[in-house]
Amino acid sequence: MIRRRTALSFSAATVLVAAPLLTGCGSTPHPGAAAVVGKERITVSQLQSQVADVREAQRSSPEGAQLLAGSAQLGQDTLVRLIQYRIIEQAGRDNGVEVTRRELQERRGQVERVLGGADAVEERFLAAGIAPGQIDRELSVGLVRSRLEDKLGKARTGEVLMKTSDSLRVDVNPRYGTWDAKRGTARAALEPWLRPAAAPGAEQPA
């Protein structure tokens, strides 16, 4: 079953490719951490590694110059996505929603069929600031989000994600801004809690 509204869910431009400032709660310094989500640290080195993987893939792409020019805020966009991943995954665990490896593989196959093959999928995600090795987690989180909505409804899911964000007390290194638990994102959103965005060429979330 293809749910195209979440086909490449969670970032496509995350893409939070416009994220100016993360606003909100959290200002405690955490040496070596880009952010702390609950008891889990997202270290600066982990963030830099993710960004480096994207940059390497972008430079290898035929559209490399364009991709590099269009992702000037890749570090902050990537951090926002990593924080969102953890919030959605925790909300899934709290509500009995999980994704098996087999389900993820099936999802990957569906997306490849929709977009025209593995290479096309990688290019679409790369345009969203997601390296080939990061695609599976993106898809997995998208499935969790989709299933939360199926189980709880869209409005209730937004409330749950906001509550989860509050309970995890997201704390962002001031270098990257601060976190807005109500919006769950760095850019102005049209809805209370930004849902995973669709990748270019896929349908936008309803």
Side-chain angles (χ1 to χ4, degrees):
M1 176 182 69
I2 281 223
R3 299 179 57 92
R4 294 195 62 188
R5 63 187 172 85
T6 54
L8 305 182
S9 56
F10 206 36
S11 239
T14 57
V15 273
L16 287 168
V17 83
L21 270 182
L22 304 133
T23 61
C25 65
S27 59
T28 305
H30 293 277
V36 178
V37 185
K39 295 181 179 180
E40 184 177 1
R41 291 161 56 92
I42 301 173
T43 67
V44 172
S45 61
Q46 288 171 336
L47 176 60
Q48 290 175 338
S49 177
Q50 292 257 324
V51 171
D53 287 346
V54 176
R55 291 299 188 206
E56 181 179 356
Q58 287 177 332
R59 285 190 289 268
S60 300
S61 170
E63 306 297 327
Q66 182 178 347
L67 291 172
L68 289 166
S71 57
Q73 299 185 69
L74 181 60
Q76 188 182 49
D77 297 339
T78 300
L79 180 59
V80 171
R81 188 173 66 252
L82 293 175
I83 293 170
Q84 290 178 327
Y85 282 176
R86 286 157 174 78
I87 292 170
I88 291 178
E89 288 167 344
Q90 183 62 54
R93 288 190 291 269
D94 291 345
N95 290 275
V97 174
E98 61 180 20
V99 175
T100 67
R101 183 63 188 171
R102 179 176 179 179
E103 290 169 335
L104 176 57
Q105 291 172 340
E106 290 175 350
R107 183 58 172 167
R108 181 71 178 256
Q110 290 171 342
V111 173
E112 289 178 357
R113 287 192 293 275
V114 169
L115 295 182
D119 290 344
V121 169
E122 290 186 1
E123 286 300 315
R124 291 295 180 89
F125 275 107
L126 191 56
I130 300 169
Q134 300 165 5
I135 293 175
D136 279 355
R137 190 175 185 188
E138 173 79 7
L139 291 174
S140 177
V141 171
L143 279 172
V144 172
R145 174 67 191 250
S146 179
R147 290 179 179 178
L148 281 170
E149 290 185 351
D150 288 343
K151 183 174 183 177
L152 306 174
K154 293 179 182 179
R156 177 57 181 156
T157 297
E159 294 172 1
V160 166
L161 291 174
M162 190 186 305
K163 181 178 179 180
T164 303
S165 180
D166 282 335
S167 67
L168 289 174
R169 301 183 62 82
V170 178
D171 192 7
V172 176
N173 186 319
R175 170 183 175 185
Y176 301 98
T178 53
W179 185 250
D180 185 343
K182 292 183 178 180
R183 286 166 40 195
T185 180
R187 69 171 188 181
L190 298 178
E191 53 189 20
W193 218 97
L194 181 68
R195 70 182 60 260
E203 294 179 13
Q204 292 295 323

